[in-house]
Amino acid sequence: YVFYAGSERQNAKDWAGCHRDDLLLPLIEHSKGNDYRDMDVRLIGTNKRKWKSRFPTTGLKQDAYNHRMQSSDYCLIMCGDTPSSRSLA
């Protein structure tokens, strides 16, 4: 099981050339296409119309987030992530 939930991090594009929305799009499409059975990858809080119309952009409740983090087999670390953004708190 693969789980990833993170923001688009708009500044990362300017600061480091990190386009996580483009990197994550194939994984997000796979997640939705398989009803999130083997993968749940999402961008939270994005304002782009291309995302809002096709994919969930809202966050998870803390216990749901913790459960997905604890039961995942893989941890995606995307450009723009920091150690503090990879925690269960």
Side-chain angles (χ1 to χ4, degrees):
Y1 185 76
V2 176
F3 173 65
Y4 179 83
S7 70
E8 189 177 5
R9 305 238 177 178
Q10 282 290 329
N11 291 332
K13 291 179 182 181
D14 295 331
W15 296 341
C18 171
H19 295 267
R20 48 183 9 185
D21 52 344
D22 294 335
L23 295 170
L24 291 171
L25 182 59
L27 298 176
I28 293 170
E29 289 176 333
H30 175 86
S31 295
K32 185 177 180 184
N34 287 306
D35 296 322
Y36 304 96
R37 285 189 303 267
D38 61 350
M39 183 180 298
D40 184 352
V41 177
R42 57 180 75 202
L43 280 178
I44 306 299
T46 185
N47 290 319
K48 289 188 174 180
R49 284 189 197 132
K50 72 177 182 178
W51 291 102
K52 284 189 171 194
S53 62
R54 295 164 58 193
F55 308 111
T57 58
T58 57
L60 298 165
K61 292 186 178 189
Q62 190 66 48
D63 28 331
Y65 174 84
N66 290 352
H67 173 73
R68 285 175 173 83
M69 285 286 283
Q70 291 171 340
S71 60
S72 65
D73 297 310
Y74 300 96
C75 176
L76 299 180
I77 300 174
M78 297 300 299
C79 54
D81 279 349
T82 62
S84 63
S85 65
R86 298 187 293 260
S87 69
L88 293 177

